[in-house]
Amino acid sequence: MIEIITLSIVVMGLATVILSIFVAYKFKQQSKHLTSGSHKLSKALMWQLIGEAALGTGTTAFAILAYKEFLPDIPVIIQSSMRVFMFSASSLTTIHLYIVTSRIES
């Protein structure tokens, strides 16, 4: 049963990461044809999706490592660094999106 759950998590995680990267790329392409606020919003959404991909990659990695029972072998400093990177990517891109949308409203 745990194998099915873990496999589902890995498949959903990988699909989410791939989707985030694909749509981020599309926003980047789209931004080239936009001007002013639309261009900035498209780029901010691209970065938001890259942050989401970083979080998804880390979550999927932790799921695999826990399932394979490798997690106890990884030093806590490495695990903590991975988590700091994941949450930093997510929070910084969220803050960036908020700043961009705030400036567009002005």
Side-chain angles (χ1 to χ4, degrees):
M1 180 63 162
I2 194 70
E3 289 84 12
I4 293 171
I5 293 171
T6 302
L7 179 62
S8 298
I9 291 169
V10 171
V11 168
M12 287 187 301
L14 292 174
T16 300
V17 169
I18 291 166
L19 180 62
S20 294
I21 292 169
F22 175 76
V23 176
Y25 176 73
K26 289 297 186 180
F27 272 116
K28 182 179 180 180
Q29 284 183 318
Q30 182 185 46
S31 73
K32 294 175 184 177
H33 307 290
L34 301 172
T35 59
S36 190
S38 298
H39 172 79
K40 291 176 184 176
L41 181 58
S42 187
K43 293 288 274 197
L45 288 169
M46 176 197 76
W47 286 112
Q48 180 71 29
L49 289 165
I50 290 171
E52 183 179 303
L55 195 59
T57 300
T59 302
T60 304
F62 275 108
I64 293 168
L65 292 170
Y67 175 72
K68 293 290 188 178
E69 298 180 0
F70 293 150
L71 211 48
D73 299 330
I74 298 174
V76 174
I77 190 71
I78 302 285
Q79 292 183 41
S80 296
S81 297
M82 289 172 64
R83 289 182 178 101
V84 166
F85 172 77
M86 290 163 48
F87 292 126
S88 294
S90 180
S91 61
L92 290 173
T93 56
T94 299
I95 291 166
H96 179 254
L97 180 60
Y98 173 76
I99 290 169
V100 168
T101 56
S102 295
R103 289 181 180 163
I104 290 173
E105 290 177 358
S106 306

